[in-house]
Amino acid sequence: MTENRPALAVFASGNGSNLQALIDGSKTAGWPAEIRVVVSDKKDAFALERAKNANIEAVWFSPKQYASREAYDLGLVELLRQRSIDWVILAGFMRILSPVFVRPYLGKMINVHPALLPKYPGTHSIERAFQAGEKEVGVTVHFVDEGVDTGPIIVQEAIPVQPGETLEQLTGRVHDVEHRIFPEAIRDVILGRVKFVRNIG
Ligand code: GRF
């Protein structure tokens, strides 16, 4: 069934709790987009199960079939072209995308990151912030550019670390914030309330 709403592809490598938040958000009145496909580089990603449970096409797109990162990324571009995808949502996708993918989707690709960027880009952000004794951590939703977690910020929410809080407790609270602000940010971008402006310098 093809809809008129803009089509999203969600990329996820793991559990897919943010994907689930998007699936749930997309069922609320006025949500302006359709999740048309979920793509994972990992065969056993639970995100693929979540997609199937929601009757969304789930594609395991294995890097092993491709000789290079660029070849894989061109394969992804073609996969999305075949499905007329308008927006790419990175929800825990653990691969760095090369310019051959990023350029065609510049301004049309959004990521969620569990830190107050530009602090703690990359992996294990919550753990590193916690171990550094930060008084606050947070969540950033941002457009994706050719860097790692460097694109223009759409929204950030700070989360004060509570006295005596464990890493597990803090991690749970960070994820709760992600699940709330990620669908809202995507909605605002697709509705044109937030515009992509490229970082200068
Ligand atoms: C989230 O913390 C997200 O911010 C980061 O990867 C994690 C994915 O978790 N990019 P999930 O697969 O959505 O549960």
Side-chain angles (χ1 to χ4, degrees):
M1 185 178 64
T2 305
E3 296 188 27
N4 292 327
R5 293 183 297 172
L8 309 184
V10 181
F11 289 9
S13 298
N15 176 28
S17 67
N18 281 285
L19 166 67
Q20 191 64 52
L22 298 180
I23 291 171
D24 296 344
S26 72
K27 291 177 183 155
T28 60
W31 216 72
E34 167 213 355
I35 304 172
R36 189 166 290 168
V37 65
V38 171
V39 179
S40 184
D41 56 326
K42 300 278 189 239
K43 189 180 184 183
D44 58 357
F46 189 57
L48 293 174
E49 296 305 314
R50 294 183 191 266
K52 287 179 208 157
N53 290 339
N55 291 318
I56 297 167
E57 185 189 12
V59 177
W60 168 45
F61 200 68
S62 173
K64 290 193 186 118
Q65 311 161 34
Y66 294 90
S68 67
R69 180 175 298 279
E70 285 71 23
Y72 179 84
D73 289 358
L74 283 172
L76 280 176
V77 171
E78 179 58 18
L79 187 151
L80 300 195
R81 196 195 58 75
Q82 287 167 359
R83 289 159 180 78
S84 302
I85 296 299
D86 301 297
W87 296 88
V88 178
I89 309 299
L90 304 184
F93 191 61
M94 299 306 286
R95 283 177 67 85
I96 294 169
L97 291 160
S98 64
V100 300
F101 188 88
V102 175
R103 282 191 193 135
Y105 286 97
L106 201 59
K108 293 280 189 175
M109 179 155 44
I110 301 170
N111 182 45
V112 62
H113 185 76
L116 290 174
L117 293 171
K119 295 178 93 171
Y120 303 103
T123 58
H124 305 295
S125 306
I126 308 170
E127 189 179 340
R128 287 188 288 124
F130 181 80
Q131 282 168 358
E134 296 282 357
K135 291 194 170 53
E136 62 177 17
V137 296
V139 172
T140 304
V141 182
H142 65 97
F143 289 106
V144 178
D145 67 8
E146 289 162 18
V148 176
D149 301 324
T150 54
I153 290 170
I154 299 163
V155 65
Q156 283 190 309
E157 186 164 313
I159 303 165
V161 179
Q162 306 286 352
E165 189 170 34
T166 65
L167 174 61
E168 288 67 32
Q169 289 167 330
L170 181 63
T171 300
R173 293 201 301 123
V174 170
H175 290 318
D176 288 346
V177 171
E178 290 186 314
H179 300 159
R180 175 165 48 78
I181 73 172
F182 196 30
E184 289 177 358
I186 292 166
R187 178 200 62 201
D188 286 350
V189 171
I190 292 173
L191 288 175
R193 295 173 180 162
V194 180
K195 297 277 185 218
F196 172 77
V197 178
R198 189 141 205 204
N199 282 341
I200 298 168

